Amino acid sequence: MAVDEKERQELKVWINGQLVTRSEAKVSVYDHGFLYGDGVFEGIRAYEGKVFMLEEHLERLYESARSIWLTIPYRKEELKSAILGTLRENGLRSAYIRVVVSRGEGDLGLDPRKCPKPNVIIITDHIELFPSEFYERGIELMTVSVRRHSPQSLNPNIKSLNYLNNILAKIEAIQGGKMEGLMLTLDGYVAEGTGENIFIVSRGILKTPPSYMGILKGITREVVIHLAAQMGMTVEETILTLHDVYTAQECFLTGTGAEIMPVVKIDGRVIGTGEVGPVTRRLLEAFRRYTKEAGVSIDDEQ
Ligand code: PMP
């Protein structure tokens, strides 16, 4: 169902402890998040009244902030209750939640010491779902030329506001007429999608690149590893080459927005049978069940 634009404009945004209307939710043009991408963020989902993996997302947010010497001026419990309160205020049961912590307002130089007060923002909105045919038929990927950052330059484990690496990869994929781009490490190993992690099924084993290769340690990735192990599958976090991916029986991407997105073609090679495989199907079913069971209730007062 299309969401009324007026309704959307009326959604409240939480900004530094205040709930304000969207038009009032503003930060300075001197904010280093805007000027330099200096900050961190999270994308979280609520399913039918429950916020999925909320603790894990907050954990990653605080870890990303710590890694860039950014102190979030709220305790985790405070942010958690702010997220739940914002959803309640907006009457959202199934939603997309964006938490942003920027370095804050400073001057035009890089020096973060000039930014005494981080800006903390919680945006909640209606979720835009991918078309169901993507899940039924699978999507096609292409390897892009732009490489994922090396952990020695800007560690992809940090979910920073600086997403230009991924945006350049996404543009290349779009220009190539594909939904998603497959990013490689500087050494040419498989890293991840532009906003999703990658898995393959190879001879019955579920494989995904380890996080030290320079990928975001996706929360959905962790859930999938857990669900696959529960199903009795062997799961390996291991280095993958393009050859491994091309010759896999199944392939899929994972992410908060995409959930488990089947991939049936990569760089023109048909993966497996070219149809969504049985492991992908079973995992997607298990994942969707889990999203309904697990999660922090929006109605929980903190
Ligand atoms: N990799 C990248 C680069 C991402 O931006 C995302 C989405 N946050 C993911 C992987 C998937 O992570 P998650 O499952 O936590 O959404």
Side-chain angles (χ1 to χ4, degrees):
M1 190 177 56
V3 180
D4 190 271
E5 197 43 43
K6 182 166 173 289
E7 191 189 317
R8 196 162 236 170
Q9 290 296 335
E10 281 165 7
L11 289 172
K12 295 268 174 60
V13 175
W14 189 97
I15 172 160
N16 301 320
Q18 305 285 322
L19 273 169
V20 298
T21 58
R22 179 170 165 164
S23 58
E24 292 166 326
K26 295 202 168 104
V27 293
S28 162
V29 292
Y30 284 86
D31 188 298
H32 280 208
F34 174 69
L35 288 175
Y36 297 117
D38 184 358
V40 294
F41 77 103
E42 274 301 316
I44 315 172
R45 249 173 111 157
Y47 290 90
E48 298 173 18
K50 285 181 177 171
V51 185
F52 190 54
M53 306 302 280
L54 180 55
E55 265 99 20
E56 289 77 1
H57 281 284
L58 285 175
E59 192 71 33
R60 188 171 66 184
L61 181 75
Y62 280 76
E63 283 177 7
S64 293
R66 182 177 283 267
S67 191
I68 67 161
W69 289 274
L70 175 59
T71 306
I72 301 177
Y74 295 94
R75 285 181 292 111
K76 237 176 260 170
E77 286 306 312
E78 290 175 313
L79 270 200
K80 188 171 161 185
S81 96
I83 290 168
L84 300 179
T86 308
L87 288 166
R88 280 199 300 273
E89 171 73 22
N90 288 325
L92 290 167
R93 309 294 294 171
S94 294
Y96 182 77
I97 303 152
R98 173 63 57 91
V99 185
V100 181
V101 185
S102 73
R103 188 77 66 183
E105 189 174 346
D107 64 13
L108 292 178
L110 292 180
D111 191 345
R113 291 173 303 181
K114 303 279 175 60
C115 310
K117 191 175 165 291
N119 275 315
V120 185
I121 295 160
I122 301 165
I123 307 168
T124 59
D125 207 335
H126 298 274
I127 176 101
E128 304 269 354
L129 298 174
F130 288 101
S132 59
E133 72 198 56
F134 287 6
Y135 297 94
E136 283 147 23
R137 292 204 211 119
I139 62 161
E140 185 174 349
L141 298 185
M142 65 174 267
T143 304
V144 294
S145 71
V146 61
R147 298 291 170 100
R148 195 70 174 107
H149 286 307
S150 143
Q152 282 76 33
S153 52
L154 174 57
N155 197 328
N157 283 182
I158 302 166
K159 196 162 168 62
S160 88
L161 288 181
N162 196 319
Y163 250 52
L164 207 46
N165 185 216
N166 312 60
I167 291 167
L168 294 180
K170 185 83 179 180
I171 291 171
E172 238 187 85
I174 293 166
Q175 285 181 345
K178 304 291 177 280
M179 252 287 296
E180 247 312 323
L182 176 57
M183 299 184 79
L184 306 179
T185 65
L186 288 183
D187 296 329
Y189 295 110
V190 172
E192 58 182 337
T194 66
E196 299 87 19
N197 293 113
I198 187 165
F199 283 82
I200 61 167
V201 179
S202 175
R203 297 190 185 89
I205 298 174
L206 190 63
K207 297 183 180 181
T208 193
S211 78
Y212 63 78
M213 293 291 293
I215 57 165
L216 184 77
K217 205 164 176 225
I219 311 275
T220 320
R221 172 184 180 277
E222 299 289 299
V223 172
V224 165
I225 289 173
H226 167 76
L227 291 174
Q230 260 190 350
M231 285 175 179
M233 284 196 79
T234 305
V235 186
E236 285 178 7
E237 293 182 56
T238 182
I239 292 176
L240 296 177
T241 63
L242 275 176
H243 177 76
D244 295 328
V245 172
Y246 295 153
T247 57
Q249 280 82 62
E250 297 181 38
C251 177
F252 58 84
L253 301 176
T254 64
T256 295
E259 300 179 319
I260 297 176
M261 179 69 74
V263 175
V264 291
K265 217 178 200 189
I266 304 175
D267 299 336
R269 279 93 166 165
V270 172
I271 306 302
T273 61
E275 293 188 352
V276 180
V279 175
T280 309
R281 276 187 200 287
R282 274 183 67 202
L283 281 169
L284 184 54
E285 274 167 33
F287 181 82
R288 293 212 163 132
R289 262 199 313 275
Y290 194 62
T291 58
K292 307 253 164 21
E293 294 159 9
V296 178
S297 169
I298 290 173
D299 306 310
D300 268 6
E301 288 295 344
Q302 290 298 310

